[in-house]
């Protein structure tokens, strides 16, 4: 049974000087109203995202899991061939349920490496440090808690070996095309020629399959989007009424941009704390998130524009998803 969390323990209200407050007000006062999707992931959002990953419409997780669980021998072989001796750094490691297959394969192959999982959540890192060595005896692990680039800098100070970066889960899709380019260029600056990057891309496919993934029949993705409004209510003392908004995912098969909006169902006023008032017109759209879909040519172009050379690609059986291996040039 799917459980949608409705009430979480009340949290302490954040002051009007907090970064969260600042970002929310900045987004809601922009000409095209938006919210930064990084704020989806509070405790309730984490639970909802776990549930999304189990929805049958949300094929992305299953496709990438299929790649990692069935092709880790080939992926490990490619890493060993292109990098020789290396350490493994995972950006946004989460619970490592996909990467564990690769970690195990490398151990079975007798590769001497350290796994550096990076995650913004200290909780996630603590759990990984506790659980992974039990599941994978002999694994050398050093968790790094923080923003990607700051933690990557730390990893660079801890090891002089070549690096293999894992950036999976189609997280790159949560940047628009220009921002993805910018991200890859920045990432490249923390790496050396010969280092490798394994990135997960969700591929363009029938538009309805994509739309369904962001509009599951059970309403989990809808609840995931609404949770951000609830979070703003909880943490910033706002009075969003989610019954006055509609979850509205869109997909443009031309550009590959899958964008989610919340549509205001009426003219309305929302208060945030004591001092901020936001007005919504009927049918006004609040932009929540992009999940960009790629063609294979577009993944190659992204590599070429940002200092990488594609060296291998791994697919699920349906060719809906790909993990691309790029080498730093
Ligand atoms: C984390 N990220 C890759 C997910 C995606 O598919 O864009 C986030 C998500 N949003 C709604 N469903 C899933």
């Amino acid at each position: 049974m799917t459980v949608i969390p409705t009430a979480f323990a009340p949290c302490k209200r954040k002051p009007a000087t907090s970064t969260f407050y600042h970002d929310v007000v900045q987004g809601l006062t922009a000409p095209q109203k938006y919210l930064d999707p990084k704020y989806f992931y509070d405790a309730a959002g984490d639970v909802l995202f776990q549930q999304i990953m189990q929805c049958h419409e949300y094929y992305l997780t299953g496709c990438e899991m299929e790649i990692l669980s069935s092709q880790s021998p080939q992926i490990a072989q490619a890493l060993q061939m292109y990098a020789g001796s290396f350490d493994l750094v995972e950006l946004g490691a989460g619970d490592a349920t996909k990467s564990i297959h690769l970690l195990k394969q490398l151990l079975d192959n007798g590769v001497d490496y350290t796994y550096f999982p990076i995650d913004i959540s200290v909780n996630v890192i603590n759990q990984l440090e506790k659980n992974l060595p039990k599941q994978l005896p002999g694994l050398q692990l050093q968790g790094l808690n923080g923003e990607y680039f700051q933690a990557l800098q730390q990893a660079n100070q801890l090891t002089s070996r070549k690096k293999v970066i894992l950036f999976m889960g189609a997280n790159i899709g949560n940047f628009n095309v220009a921002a993805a380019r910018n991200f890859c260029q920045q990432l490249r600056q923390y790496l050396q020629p010969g280092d490798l990057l394994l990135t997960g891309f969700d591929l363009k496919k029938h538009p309805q399959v994509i739309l369904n993934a962001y509009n599951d029949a059970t309403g989990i993705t809808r609840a995931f989007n609404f949770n951000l409004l609830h979070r703003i209510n909880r943490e910033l003392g706002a009075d969003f009424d989610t019954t006055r908004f509609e979850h509205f995912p869109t997909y443009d098969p031309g550009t590959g941009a899958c964008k989610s909006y919340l549509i205001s169902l009426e003219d309305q006023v929302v208060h945030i704390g004591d001092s901020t008032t936001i007005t919504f017109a009927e049918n006004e759209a609040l932009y929540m998130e992009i999940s960009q879909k790629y063609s294979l040519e577009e993944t190659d172009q992204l590599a070429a524009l940002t200092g990488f050379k594609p060296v291998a690609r791994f697919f699920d059986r349906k060719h809906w998803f790909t993990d691309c291996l790029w080498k730093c040039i």
Side-chain angles (χ1 to χ4, degrees):
M1 193 182 77
T2 309
V3 180
I4 301 177
T6 47
F8 271 73
C11 60
K12 227 170 145 193
R13 196 158 133 190
K14 297 216 168 27
T17 50
S18 70
T19 312
F20 181 36
Y21 175 85
H22 173 266
D23 291 350
V24 165
V25 172
Q26 180 162 302
L28 294 180
T29 51
Q32 163 62 75
K33 291 186 175 64
Y34 68 91
L35 289 170
D36 186 333
K38 77 177 178 198
Y39 292 117
F40 280 140
Y41 302 92
D42 66 345
D46 284 345
V47 172
L48 287 161
F49 187 56
Q50 289 296 326
Q51 293 178 359
I52 286 175
M53 289 193 289
Q54 285 160 22
C55 283
H56 78 271
E57 292 100 328
Y58 192 75
Y59 57 84
L60 290 78
T61 310
C63 289
E64 197 175 38
M65 183 59 105
E66 184 194 317
I67 296 173
L68 269 291
S69 62
S70 66
Q71 295 173 60
S72 276
Q74 292 85 337
I75 300 174
Q77 193 184 25
L79 301 187
Q80 291 173 245
M81 184 170 88
Y82 288 111
S85 97
F86 56 84
D87 287 322
L88 208 61
V89 179
E90 180 161 15
L91 307 181
D95 56 9
T97 43
K98 284 176 265 178
S99 40
I100 196 167
H101 295 280
L102 181 59
L103 300 178
K104 178 167 186 317
Q105 185 65 50
L106 291 168
L107 288 175
D108 290 350
N109 290 4
V111 177
D112 175 25
Y113 70 98
T114 299
Y115 174 53
F116 293 97
I118 295 178
D119 207 283
I120 193 73
S121 158
V122 70
N123 223 10
V124 161
I125 295 298
N126 289 341
Q127 287 299 317
L128 283 176
E129 287 187 332
K130 194 171 134 210
N131 298 331
L132 264 190
K134 284 188 217 153
Q135 292 171 271
L136 297 174
L139 177 72
Q140 302 173 67
L141 181 153
Q142 167 75 68
L144 299 172
N145 168 230
E147 302 270 349
Y148 293 159
F149 294 134
Q150 166 219 330
L152 203 49
Q153 197 160 16
Q154 251 178 296
N156 279 335
Q157 283 156 5
L158 292 168
T159 170
S160 54
R161 281 201 189 137
K162 272 202 188 124
K163 263 172 220 75
V164 174
I165 309 289
L166 305 181
F167 187 44
M168 302 196 300
N171 287 322
I172 197 155
N174 295 131
F175 296 119
N176 66 35
V177 171
R181 203 174 288 170
N182 190 27
F183 175 82
C184 291
Q185 270 160 350
Q186 254 186 292
L187 177 60
R188 176 64 188 82
Q189 285 168 13
Y190 289 86
L191 304 175
Q192 300 298 324
D195 287 347
L196 298 176
L197 171 63
L198 185 70
T199 315
F201 290 92
D202 190 21
L203 294 172
K204 288 178 173 171
K205 57 187 66 64
H206 194 287
Q208 197 59 53
V209 174
I210 291 174
L211 267 181
N212 291 350
Y214 294 88
N215 202 13
D216 58 279
T218 330
I220 311 281
T221 309
R222 179 176 176 275
F224 178 68
N225 279 268
F226 282 157
N227 178 60
L228 181 44
L229 302 190
H230 290 306
R231 179 179 183 183
I232 295 170
N233 287 350
R234 282 193 298 266
E235 296 188 22
L236 302 178
D239 57 4
F240 273 107
D241 176 354
T242 52
T243 65
R244 296 168 152 195
F245 289 88
E246 183 180 317
H247 169 55
F248 194 80
T250 67
Y251 177 62
D252 177 345
T255 63
C258 176
K259 293 183 180 177
S260 288
Y261 296 90
L262 294 180
I263 306 295
S264 175
L265 295 176
E266 54 193 84
D267 289 342
Q268 55 179 313
V269 177
V270 174
H271 304 95
I272 305 177
D274 303 324
S275 52
T276 307
T277 300
I278 308 289
T279 57
F280 285 88
E282 185 178 356
N283 297 327
E284 187 174 353
L286 168 55
Y287 173 40
M288 302 297 281
E289 184 184 39
I290 184 165
S291 302
Q292 179 68 37
K293 310 305 171 192
Y294 284 83
S295 67
L296 293 178
E297 296 70 32
E298 287 162 345
T299 67
D300 285 349
Q301 277 162 14
L302 181 59
L305 287 168
T306 56
F308 296 91
K309 178 178 166 219
V311 292
R313 284 192 197 118
F314 305 91
F315 296 96
D316 61 300
R317 269 167 303 176
K318 290 185 180 142
H319 280 228
W320 280 4
F321 197 97
T322 183
D323 280 309
C324 293
L325 186 62
W326 295 352
K327 188 172 180 166
C328 293
I329 45 177

